[in-house]
Amino acid sequence: MRARSGLVVRSLVAKDIPMIFMAPKNRDPVPGVLIAHGFAGSKQLMLGYGYTFAQAGYASLLWDFSGHGANPAPLNMETLQPDLEVAYQALTKQPEVDPDRLAILGHSMGSSAVMTASIEQRDRFAATIAVSPTRAEVTADKPANLLLQAGSGEGQFVDSARKLLQTAGGENQNLAEGKGRSLIVVPKVEHITILFSDISHQSALKWINKTFNQFNPSSYVDRRMGWYGLHLIGGLMAIAAIVPTFAPPAARTSRTPWRRWGGLLAAPFAATAGVNLISPGVALENLGGLKVGGALGIWFLFGGLVWLGVQNQWPLNIRQKDQLPSPQALSIGILVFILLWLAFGAMAQVVWLQWWLIPARLKLWPILSLACLPWFLASGLAQQGVSTGKRILWWLGQNIVLIGGLILTISLLPQLGFIFLLLPIFPIIFGILSFVAAQVKDVWSYGVGGALFFGWTLVAAFPMVG
């Protein structure tokens, strides 16, 4: 509510591309800013810039590239510029916008798109801001007034930004003639957290103010993620209050530590070997209709089956009746998923993530969830009956194993390299799930709830491909 106060906010759709437009109320036409997300991003992920600019007197338009967010078209790098052109036309048609005063900002994949657009159409955009920049054919004259940003924790993008600055003629504060050039390294952030950095938001705003010779005072600082964090904590408290009331008691376990930890340590090697084995016969990066996401699901399938096997549990002895889920356990698993869905995603939809799945994504959700089920059953088994201290140790160990195993996979299969950009999110996701495991004692309840939630997250995050 604070972010939207005093603004006109509209949802738009043009040529099946969903957009969000925001601008100050009751003002003469103001300069406009196009804001483009990166790979596996969405318009919601860039809202921090949109609100910062709009609260300072600019109009902002954000959209979903093909295959991303709520855009139903499959990902195609050749459609980045056509999608951007549709967004440009939509922005200039808004009555609040002065079409002769425009700027453009993009992150990662989107940075290349916006730099290319402002190079090819230099007279359209008075300023270009590239956050975590990739590549573009910049010169000393094109694009106009180029600001480069990179986080101190994303080394390769810092290097890319420095090379771009050098190619573009080096540091230059001559914004009046359109030859401004600058690089800002944002401290203590990486590829995702830079998007929520006040330093990134405010330095971009200052650059645009200088470009248009505007001095719009604004007290707005983007604090939406703080409210999202409170919402998430409240949701987890609700899970802790509700689920134990209905959850069945935990079954006794006699698994030795070497089976629990041995299975966890063996899982990433088995998963990496499995995806590497099938890679010659399939296009891993596009498996299942998701860019990289399908391959990640297969990785968890292979790893989970081995982890279960080492623990001498399902599916090796699934014929034993006590290993089959009861209706109560399945019901609790669905309840866990619903509560997790609300806790994690209900506010994420309006803060940072396209959480509502469009039909094309929704049909992939059961498949990804089924692939992840063995991993979460194995994790639930391993965490049965452990103390709080050991549960924290399990969370730490599982994250180290996951991240290490996925880095090994990327080194062997570079086509899955985009997984690397999302690794910082895994400790948060699995921290949430470890907390849930402490409330849900039954293995099947935790396995079903965790797999449904994690499958939904994968389907929501990764781009769709044809």
Side-chain angles (χ1 to χ4, degrees):
M1 291 175 65
R2 171 72 179 88
R4 290 186 171 217
S5 63
L7 303 181
V8 174
V9 181
R10 290 195 286 269
S11 294
L12 309 172
V13 178
K15 296 187 177 180
D16 292 330
I17 299 176
M19 308 174 187
I20 299 174
F21 172 80
M22 57 188 71
K25 289 181 180 177
N26 305 319
R27 296 278 293 271
D28 293 331
V30 297
V33 187
L34 286 176
I35 302 173
H37 64 78
F39 179 85
S42 65
K43 56 189 180 298
Q44 284 93 331
L45 193 59
M46 306 299 289
L47 280 170
Y49 298 97
Y51 284 125
T52 298
F53 298 155
Q55 289 290 348
Y58 297 94
S60 302
L61 188 136
L62 311 89
W63 72 98
D64 289 332
F65 279 118
S66 296
H68 291 77
N71 191 324
L75 172 66
N76 185 340
M77 291 300 182
E78 295 180 0
T79 66
L80 295 182
Q81 293 305 314
D83 288 352
L84 192 154
E85 178 66 21
V86 172
Y88 166 79
Q89 296 296 337
L91 177 65
T92 55
K93 290 177 182 177
Q94 304 308 309
E96 296 86 356
V97 177
D98 180 351
D100 295 323
R101 293 187 294 166
L102 300 177
I104 191 166
L105 178 149
H107 172 244
S108 193
M109 177 187 75
S111 73
S112 177
V114 303
M115 285 189 288
T116 299
S118 52
I119 289 169
E120 294 177 351
Q121 301 282 348
R122 187 186 188 279
D123 294 337
R124 277 187 176 182
F125 304 106
T128 300
I129 302 168
V131 182
S132 304
T134 51
R135 292 176 290 180
E137 300 299 322
V138 300
T139 67
D141 295 317
K142 298 180 180 180
N145 294 334
L146 175 64
L147 174 65
L148 300 159
Q149 292 186 8
S152 61
E154 47 174 358
Q156 68 185 81
F157 292 96
V158 174
D159 294 340
S160 175
R162 286 172 176 158
K163 291 177 183 177
L164 284 168
L165 180 64
Q166 183 179 10
T167 305
E171 193 80 19
N172 187 338
Q173 294 298 317
N174 187 7
L175 277 72
E177 297 182 7
K179 295 183 179 181
R181 301 284 186 266
S182 189
L183 166 62
I184 294 175
V185 178
V186 182
K188 300 179 182 179
V189 295
E190 42 73 54
H191 197 67
I192 302 298
T193 52
I194 191 174
L195 302 177
F196 305 102
S197 165
D198 294 337
I199 295 175
S200 177
H201 298 164
Q202 296 302 320
S203 63
L205 175 60
K206 289 178 182 177
W207 190 257
I208 294 176
N209 279 339
K210 289 180 181 179
T211 296
F212 295 113
N213 197 26
Q214 304 246 348
F215 301 95
N216 299 330
S218 173
S219 60
Y220 177 78
V221 178
D222 192 57
R223 293 285 182 258
R224 295 169 308 115
M225 285 301 289
W227 292 106
Y228 171 76
L230 288 175
H231 176 270
L232 177 58
I233 291 170
L236 294 177
M237 290 173 67
I239 290 173
I242 295 170
V243 172
T245 305
F246 301 98
R252 291 186 177 182
T253 175
S254 60
R255 285 175 301 283
T256 57
W258 80 263
R259 286 189 179 275
R260 300 182 184 198
W261 284 101
L264 176 60
L265 293 173
F269 294 102
T272 302
V275 294
N276 195 50
L277 187 63
I278 66 173
S279 62
V282 298
L284 269 179
E285 65 272 24
N286 298 329
L287 190 65
L290 282 179
K291 191 73 173 179
V292 178
L296 196 56
I298 293 296
W299 192 94
F300 276 97
L301 174 64
F302 289 149
L305 289 174
V306 168
W307 193 0
L308 282 169
V310 173
Q311 294 187 84
N312 195 30
Q313 296 296 315
W314 184 93
L316 298 183
N317 55 358
I318 194 171
R319 294 180 181 178
Q320 295 183 19
K321 292 183 179 181
D322 62 353
Q323 298 300 315
L324 296 176
S326 66
Q328 181 189 12
L330 293 179
S331 299
I332 297 302
I334 294 172
L335 174 63
V336 168
F337 162 69
I338 293 171
L339 293 174
L340 273 173
W341 191 96
L342 292 170
F344 185 85
M347 191 179 282
Q349 174 69 25
V350 295
V351 174
W352 70 280
L353 177 66
Q354 176 65 43
W355 187 246
W356 291 95
L357 299 183
I358 59 176
R361 292 182 179 275
L362 191 59
K363 67 182 181 181
L364 300 175
W365 170 51
I367 301 171
L368 265 292
S369 299
L370 186 61
C372 295
L373 179 60
W375 182 278
F376 287 97
L377 286 173
S379 178
L381 282 165
Q383 295 182 71
Q384 268 190 322
V386 300
S387 64
T388 301
K390 288 183 178 180
R391 196 172 297 280
I392 294 173
L393 185 62
W394 268 107
W395 167 78
L396 180 61
Q398 193 169 181
N399 278 297
I400 292 173
V401 165
L402 271 176
I403 293 173
L406 289 172
I407 290 175
L408 176 62
T409 301
I410 294 168
S411 68
L412 296 174
L413 300 167
Q415 64 268 40
L416 304 181
F418 278 115
I419 293 175
F420 186 80
L421 302 179
L422 298 176
L423 291 182
I425 298 176
F426 279 123
I428 299 172
I429 296 292
F430 281 91
I432 293 170
L433 291 170
S434 292
F435 174 84
V436 172
Q439 319 305 319
V440 185
K441 309 300 183 182
D442 179 74
V443 171
W444 276 100
S445 298
Y446 172 74
V448 170
L452 290 173
F453 170 72
F454 193 68
W456 187 287
T457 304
L458 293 182
V459 175
F462 286 98
M464 296 184 300
V465 293

